[in-house]
Amino acid sequence: MEKLIVTGGRPLHGTVDIGGAKNAAVAIIPATLMADGPCVLENVPVISDVSILMDIMQEMGAEVHAMSSHSYVIDSRDIKNCEIQDENARRMRASYYYLGVGLSKFGKASVALPGGCDLGARPIDQHLKAFEALGAKTDVDQGIVYVDAGSGLKGAHIFFDIVSVGATINAMLAAVKAEGRTILENVAKEPHIVDVANFLNKMGADIRGAGTDVIKIRGVSSLKGAQYSIIPDQIEAGTFIAAAVATGGNVKVNNITPKHLETIISRMREVGAEILVDEDSLTVTRKSVLCATNVRTMPHPGFPTDMVPQFSVLLSMAEGTSIITEGIWSNRFRYADELRRMGASFTVDGKIAVISGVERLQAAPVMSTDLRAGAAMVIAGLCAQGTTEVSGVEYIDRGYEDFVGKLSRLGADVKRIQIPDPVSELAAIG
Ligand code: EPU
């Protein structure tokens, strides 16, 4: 087991390079299976969710060759079916993309029900609704999801009941080779939706409208291998912006797409950041004392739910009282107890949090309750008086590449340490 030891009080200074987008990579890697030739992926983030997916690809029979730390050749031509029922599938959310991919490539698939961060109920009814509309039969039995297209998939007009990132991507994956035309309405518009569509189009798909409310797909008979560079991760960028503002530092954030960060930048400015935006970078400093604000999370282009914990740290130290209304997950605020342990005044009632700013956070032993909450605990530790211990590092590893290294290079006092496993300690004593 490992912990992060964070000593507060040092403003961050310097330059940080943002990696490839996790939520694009975790869809694009499974999608390589649909190509009739090898794919080359670039700007792939080095995070544990990607390692799990590469393991799944190899277990299925793909040849995965790392050309460098961030680029891979994936040749899936030897994969004969899409049955993923082992522990790896349960370890992450994105394994559900193998349902859409398997339907498209083999006409059927079975995948163990996906895990991922506990943010509340995470049903997949909209994914199944889309598969069924395209002509597949679906079944869930003993924790395994089965989808079977029988005599083939046919294009359909699908209106999603709620806006879902995963269901939008899964429907696109299943529909790219379905016979005829598919129209997806009320879809998600996140940058990673557009990235997945761009990758599929590079493979020969005919997808239009990604990034708007309606996606139109004309089925094609085959997809070829493609070379593709994954977009920068807007949440990683937002996390470093939050860390710079929280510590009162001055940081240049490189390798970003400013358009994807518009909402985050505007809310950061509102609470006291000064942000100068360039073509593919930005520089962030703190202009004034932090000010309270109210924020509601919404699907893109609204304020992203995945920035709530990091933004909460800023609001915990802001002058005045802020209200966060969570519009996506029922259990987004699981980290509230941890921030309270550090002296924050943080009250939660269902999907609403009320935060009254305090002058300074205090160090404490805290836990990462999920990926983004883990990053937020580290940011809180960087601002707190004393030394904070953050456990649950494995959550942070799921989505942040070299988080400790990047922060250290910005001058943060943060270390990763091994902590003795109590079971093996006892065994050694015995
Ligand atoms: N929902 C349904 N039925 C469905 C699908 C979703 O009711 O069939 C509900 C969910 O319960 C939730 C809302 O719809 O209330 C939105 O869920 P969505 O499907 O958009 O989320 P997701 O695809 O499971 C992705 C990201 C999450 C991010 C959300 C929202 C991936 C692998 N995960 O999850 O990212 O919070 O979109 O933007 O893309 C993270 O990166 O830390 C993370 C949790």
Side-chain angles (χ1 to χ4, degrees):
M1 284 167 80
E2 290 178 296
K3 262 188 191 174
L4 300 186
I5 306 296
V6 188
T7 304
R10 291 194 191 177
L12 300 186
H13 283 283
T15 301
V16 63
D17 293 326
I18 298 306
K22 167 178 96 73
N23 290 342
V26 298
I28 286 174
I29 293 166
T32 59
L33 202 159
M34 292 154 68
D36 293 334
C39 291
V40 178
L41 298 185
E42 290 157 359
N43 204 32
V44 179
V46 182
I47 52 175
S48 66
D49 271 11
V50 161
S51 319
I52 295 172
L53 283 173
M54 293 302 186
D55 286 349
I56 292 178
M57 295 300 288
Q58 281 172 312
E59 278 164 20
M60 290 168 83
E63 271 182 44
V64 176
H65 171 65
M67 291 159 68
S68 71
S69 52
H70 296 94
S71 45
Y72 292 84
V73 181
I74 306 178
D75 187 343
S76 305
R77 281 175 292 186
D78 286 340
I79 297 183
K80 298 286 179 278
N81 62 44
C82 201
E83 290 164 14
I84 311 166
Q85 299 173 4
D86 69 358
E87 199 42 41
N88 272 338
R90 290 193 177 85
R91 279 172 63 199
M92 65 180 311
R93 192 77 197 148
S95 48
Y96 56 31
Y97 291 133
Y98 285 102
L99 293 169
V101 164
L103 266 179
S104 176
K105 176 87 178 181
F106 305 111
K108 61 179 183 175
S110 57
V111 178
L113 265 181
C117 288
D118 178 7
L119 302 167
R122 297 187 76 166
I124 59 163
D125 57 297
Q126 298 299 305
H127 303 233
L128 302 183
K129 168 180 163 160
F131 298 149
E132 284 167 13
L134 292 166
K137 287 204 165 53
T138 68
D139 190 20
V140 182
D141 187 28
Q142 298 189 33
I144 315 271
V145 186
Y146 296 86
V147 290
D148 191 334
S151 53
L153 294 170
K154 284 209 169 49
H157 193 145
I158 301 162
F159 192 99
F160 290 104
D161 305 326
I162 43 128
V163 176
S164 158
V165 168
T168 302
I169 293 180
N170 240 338
M172 280 199 304
L173 294 169
V176 278
K177 284 166 65 187
E179 193 189 318
R181 198 157 111 111
T182 296
I183 299 177
L184 307 176
E185 288 204 63
N186 197 25
V187 291
K189 295 179 281 198
E190 271 67 4
H192 30 286
I193 304 281
V194 181
D195 210 38
V196 176
N198 286 344
F199 173 60
L200 293 169
N201 282 342
K202 204 143 183 223
M203 289 164 81
D206 182 353
I207 304 175
R208 289 161 205 219
T212 73
D213 291 311
V214 184
I215 295 178
K216 294 180 179 161
I217 304 169
R218 249 180 218 293
V220 295
S221 54
S222 64
L223 295 171
K224 57 184 191 295
Q227 179 163 357
Y228 194 76
S229 181
I230 291 168
I231 51 163
D233 194 306
Q234 86 268 29
I235 303 298
E236 187 194 9
T239 302
F240 278 96
I241 296 172
V245 179
T247 60
N250 183 328
V251 173
K252 182 166 185 224
V253 184
N254 271 339
N255 186 32
I256 56 160
T257 306
K259 180 87 192 138
H260 298 166
L261 287 164
E262 276 173 350
T263 316
I264 294 174
I265 291 171
S266 117
R267 300 319 299 258
M268 291 289 177
R269 282 181 175 144
E270 207 180 306
V271 297
E274 180 164 278
I275 300 179
L276 299 175
V277 180
D278 221 322
E279 208 174 307
D280 59 1
S281 67
L282 60 77
T283 305
V284 54
T285 52
R286 166 118 58 99
K287 190 174 71 178
S288 60
V289 290
L290 293 169
C291 327
T293 189
N294 297 335
V295 64
R296 172 186 288 271
T297 70
M298 281 193 284
H300 191 81
F303 189 81
T305 176
D306 294 337
M307 276 303 297
V308 162
Q310 306 90 312
F311 202 60
S312 303
V313 176
L314 296 177
L315 301 183
S316 297
M317 299 181 295
E319 242 173 36
T321 298
S322 307
I323 299 177
I324 303 180
T325 308
E326 168 62 23
I328 312 291
W329 300 115
S330 56
N331 217 355
R332 177 87 263 181
F333 298 116
R334 285 177 68 229
Y335 61 91
D337 279 344
E338 309 305 309
L339 267 190
R340 273 198 287 265
R341 225 188 289 283
M342 297 182 74
S345 165
F346 202 116
T347 317
V348 178
D349 185 1
K351 288 178 156 186
I352 296 176
V354 179
I355 306 174
S356 298
V358 295
E359 207 166 297
R360 188 116 202 232
L361 295 173
Q362 303 296 329
V366 288
M367 211 170 65
S368 309
T369 49
D370 62 61
L371 163 61
R372 308 302 171 187
M377 291 309 125
V378 174
I379 298 174
L382 294 175
C383 307
Q385 209 154 21
T387 298
T388 294
E389 291 185 12
V390 183
S391 56
V393 182
E394 61 284 0
Y395 279 114
I396 299 175
D397 292 341
R398 290 190 44 201
Y400 288 96
E401 175 175 336
D402 190 19
F403 198 44
V404 169
K406 288 185 184 185
L407 286 171
S408 301
R409 287 190 285 282
L410 292 172
D413 186 348
V414 47
K415 288 184 217 54
R416 189 173 177 125
I417 58 156
Q418 290 281 344
I419 47 170
D421 171 6
V423 178
S424 49
E425 286 277 291
L426 276 178
I429 295 165

